Amino acid sequence: MNAPTAPVLFSPAWHAELDLAYARAGDATRPVRRRHAGPLRVQKHLYPEGPEVCQHILVHPPGGIAGGDRLEIAAEVGSGAWAQLTSPGAAKWYRAAAPAMQQLRLHVAAGATLEWLPQETIVYSAAQAELDTWIELEGDARLFYWDIVALGRPASGERFAAGRYRAALDIRRDGRLLWHERQRLDGGDGLLDSPIGLDGAPVFATLLVTGEIDAALLARCRELPARVRGDLTQLPNLLVGRCLADQALHARAWLIDLWRLLRPALLGRDALPPRIWST
């Protein structure tokens, strides 16, 4: 007599993977690898600036990230190539009884450029969001990176009263640590309202750009009209920007204004906003 088999438990969690690679071919950047598993995709490659810059829009069809979900994204930009990665809308992390995770691994070869410009991450109250990002730069590789996080949904009267947001970010150049950051915010934590924390602002954003700018351009960046509390700091070979805001739209507008000023100076190209940002 056969022994009864154990019941198979259905899990609604998604495990999604996306693996991208770009290479220089003549005067153009071409995608040379685009593998995916689960609900994570890129739309067709776009060239709004000409063949040198390949733009991809990362899409997560479920539209939100729930407990038990795991997203793994990897991108490799080969020597001389230029990739610009963005998203069609906000990433929403829903209320959950279990953690949801995102792992992001980016590798940029010598002579290559990567722009990582996603729209905001919205962490609902009682969500358990865990995000880990590792970026490896080789030689003179260039990086323009930003991240926007909105805790709760203030427009709906929802504060981040429960749950957890945890993020880790490491950037290395030729194996040496260039930037190391760890964040943890618990729902209802005193840091949400403390003047040494978020000071009551539900939105915070970070900008990290390789390279250095002169004092005149730094002053122009600091004088930008904005509806955020933000500032920039020039470190050796790394420009850092931070802001607090009442709305994600205000933080994003500030970052885009900075990108318009900094992209020509640090990357040598005028800023042409992706059309998806206006839809």
Side-chain angles (χ1 to χ4, degrees), residues 53-74:
V53 180
C54 180
Q55 181 188 102
H56 260 152
I57 300 170
L58 279 63
V59 180
H60 182 235
I65 303 161
D69 287 359
R70 186 183 184 94
L71 276 61
E72 298 182 20
I73 302 169

Side-chain angles (χ1 to χ4, degrees), residues 167-244:
L169 171 61
D170 283 347
I171 302 176
R172 287 181 167 82
R173 187 182 294 278
D174 296 327
R176 297 185 62 183
L177 196 61
L178 185 64
W179 185 260
H180 173 81
E181 182 168 352
R182 298 293 183 268
Q183 298 175 342
R184 173 162 176 160
L185 289 166
D186 295 323
D189 193 291
L191 283 174
L192 299 175
D193 294 309
S194 170
I196 63 169
L198 298 187
D199 199 19
V203 178
F204 58 95
T206 299
L207 171 74
L208 296 166
V209 192
T210 54
E212 297 187 11
I213 60 175
D214 58 32
L217 181 54
L218 182 59
R220 286 183 62 196
C221 291
R222 288 173 168 167
E223 292 167 0
L224 283 170
R227 300 177 68 179
V228 304
R229 287 174 283 166
D231 203 352
L232 293 92
T233 302
Q234 179 67 74
L235 302 177
N237 297 308
L238 187 68
L239 182 66
V240 181
R242 300 279 204 188
C243 84
L244 296 175

Side-chain angles (χ1 to χ4, degrees), residues 47 158 160 189-190 245 276:
Y47 293 94
E158 178 188 279
F160 190 62
D189 193 291
I276 196 69

Side-chain angles (χ1 to χ4, degrees), residues 132-184:
D132 294 298
T133 300
W134 298 275
I135 304 175
E136 298 285 344
L137 308 175
E138 293 182 359
D140 60 350
R142 301 184 301 182
L143 173 71
F144 204 115
Y145 169 99
W146 75 38
D147 183 47
I148 309 165
V149 178
L151 298 177
R153 293 174 295 163
S156 302
E158 178 188 279
R159 285 177 54 85
F160 190 62
R164 181 178 71 247
Y165 169 80
R166 183 193 63 77
L169 171 61
D170 283 347
I171 302 176
R172 287 181 167 82
R173 187 182 294 278
D174 296 327
R176 297 185 62 183
L177 196 61
L178 185 64
W179 185 260
H180 173 81
E181 182 168 352
R182 298 293 183 268
Q183 298 175 342
R184 173 162 176 160

Side-chain angles (χ1 to χ4, degrees), residues 20-24 29-33 54 56 75-78 81 83 85:
L20 306 171
Y22 305 85
R24 183 72 178 236
T29 295
R30 301 297 184 197
V32 293
R33 186 171 69 243
C54 180
H56 260 152
E76 182 177 347
V77 188
L85 305 180

